[in-house]
Amino acid sequence: NAGVPFQFHEDGFLVLEHFFTAEECDSMRERIQSVVAEMEVPLHCRTEFSTKEKEQLQAQGSSDYFLTSGDKIRFFFEKGVLDEKGNFLIPKEKSISKIGHALHAHDPVFKQITHSSKVQELGRKLGLESPVVVQSMYIFKAVPVSLVSVTPHQDATFLYTEPLGRVLGFWIALEDVTLENGCLWFIPGSHTSGITRRMVRASPGTSTCVEFIGSDPTYEDNRFIPVPISKGGLILIHGEVVHKSKLNTSELSRHAFTFHVMEAKGTSWSKENWLQPTPELPFPSLYT
C-alpha cells in the first residue's frame, strides 16, 4: 500500500486495522496466561522492610531488576498489589502492569509474532533496511487496579538514537481498545520537532538507576486525538510522536503486545539508554 508511508510521515502514527487475526491475538493472550501462572515473584518485591538501609537495598533491587531486564522476561507490578512478603492481595493476573523486555527473543509465541512475514513485509514497505528489535512488552491495563494513566511522552526519550527518527513502535491490540478502556491518544504531526527530555542511566553511586535530562513541555489537551482500534489492529508509532493513554474506566482489560524496532543502518544507539544490548542478546534483526 503506497499510502502507508505518506500518512505515517504526515501524522507520526498509523492505524492498520485487522493486521493480526483473532487467533493470533488469542494465542498471545493464552501464552501470557501460562507465563503468569509460572511466574516467581521477584526477590525485591518480597522483602519485609524496616530500616532505611533495607529500603535502599529494595530500591536498588528494583532498579537492578529493571536495568537488567533488556535480555530477559521480567514482571512489573501495579502499585499496592503485593504485601511486604510478596503475597498477592488480588488475583495475580490482575496485579501485573507489564511483562518485559525480551519476550520477542525468549518466548516462541511472541518471537513468531514479532518476526511474522506480515511485520517483515511492513518493515520493507516502510523502507527499513537493517531493522533490529530492541525491546518488547506485554501490557495488561487490567481492571480494577489499573488506575495508572500514561502521561504524554515520546518513545525516543527512553530509546535515544543519533540521528533521531530511527525508532519505531509496533503496538498490537489483543482485544478491542476503546475510549473507556484506555486507548492511545496522539498529537498528529508532533514527531517533527525533536525531543525535549531524555532518560539516561544515572552515574554509579546515585540512589536512582536513571535520571531525566531536560523537561517535558506542557501539551494542551485539545491537541490530542483518541485512537480506538479493534482487536488485531496494529498502531505504528514514530519514536518522536507525542502520545499518552488515560485510565481504564471500564469493566474490561486492555491487553496489548508492543515492540520497538530501530533502523540500525547508519544509526548509533546511545550508551546512556537504560536498555543496552548484551553479549547474550545483541539486538536481533527483524528480518529472518
Side-chain angles (χ1 to χ4, degrees), residues 173-209:
L174 303 186
E175 39 198 339
D176 291 344
V177 174
T178 62
L179 280 169
E180 294 71 36
N181 74 357
C183 70
L184 298 181
W185 293 66
F186 290 88
I187 299 182
S190 57
H191 60 302
T192 54
S193 33
I195 62 170
T196 57
R197 189 167 79 129
R198 282 183 59 192
M199 183 173 96
V200 297
R201 287 183 169 236
S203 356
T206 36
S207 58
T208 55
C209 61

Side-chain angles (χ1 to χ4, degrees), residues 7-209:
Q7 196 61 46
F8 179 68
H9 294 309
E10 193 76 357
D11 292 338
F13 67 95
L14 181 71
V15 176
L16 298 170
E17 285 281 10
H18 309 298
F19 191 84
F20 288 98
T21 63
E23 292 71 31
E24 287 171 315
C25 294
D26 294 343
S27 74
M28 288 186 264
R29 292 196 60 187
E30 282 158 22
R31 178 63 197 136
I32 220 72
Q33 279 181 328
S34 16
V35 170
V36 170
E38 293 160 17
M39 166 184 73
E40 290 288 318
V41 176
L43 215 52
H44 69 269
C45 297
R46 286 193 294 220
T47 333
E48 293 182 68
F49 307 122
S50 47
T51 65
K52 254 293 188 262
E53 193 182 339
K54 280 194 181 160
E55 276 172 35
Q56 284 170 341
L57 285 171
Q58 196 246 1
Q60 190 53 48
S62 301
S63 60
D64 290 345
Y65 187 78
F66 167 69
L67 276 186
T68 56
S69 64
D71 59 356
K72 300 177 189 70
I73 295 177
R74 288 196 161 164
F75 303 91
F76 300 90
F77 298 93
E78 298 282 9
K79 283 192 172 59
V81 298
L82 294 164
D83 66 17
E84 63 277 7
K85 293 180 181 162
N87 299 317
F88 291 100
L89 300 168
I90 57 167
K92 65 179 178 177
E93 61 283 358
K94 290 196 167 146
S95 66
I96 301 178
S97 137
K98 64 176 191 182
I99 297 177
H101 288 88
L103 284 161
H104 62 281
H106 297 316
D107 186 276
V109 172
F110 292 99
K111 186 176 195 168
Q112 199 277 316
I113 292 286
T114 304
H115 296 279
S116 61
S117 53
K118 292 184 273 203
V119 169
Q120 297 193 36
E121 192 185 326
L122 179 56
R124 293 194 169 93
K125 269 186 195 162
L126 289 161
L128 300 175
E129 289 185 55
S130 310
V132 295
V133 185
V134 298
Q135 70 160 6
S136 56
M137 285 185 291
Y138 191 104
I139 302 167
F140 290 80
K141 200 108 175 164
V143 288
V145 288
S146 193
L147 299 175
V148 181
S149 58
V150 178
T151 53
H153 67 283
Q154 297 166 290
D155 293 343
T157 287
F158 308 96
L159 309 171
Y160 184 77
T161 58
E162 284 175 0
L164 279 168
R166 300 299 172 88
V167 168
L168 178 61
F170 289 70
W171 196 97
I172 305 157
L174 303 186
E175 39 198 339
D176 291 344
V177 174
T178 62
L179 280 169
E180 294 71 36
N181 74 357
C183 70
L184 298 181
W185 293 66
F186 290 88
I187 299 182
S190 57
H191 60 302
T192 54
S193 33
I195 62 170
T196 57
R197 189 167 79 129
R198 282 183 59 192
M199 183 173 96
V200 297
R201 287 183 169 236
S203 356
T206 36
S207 58
T208 55
C209 61

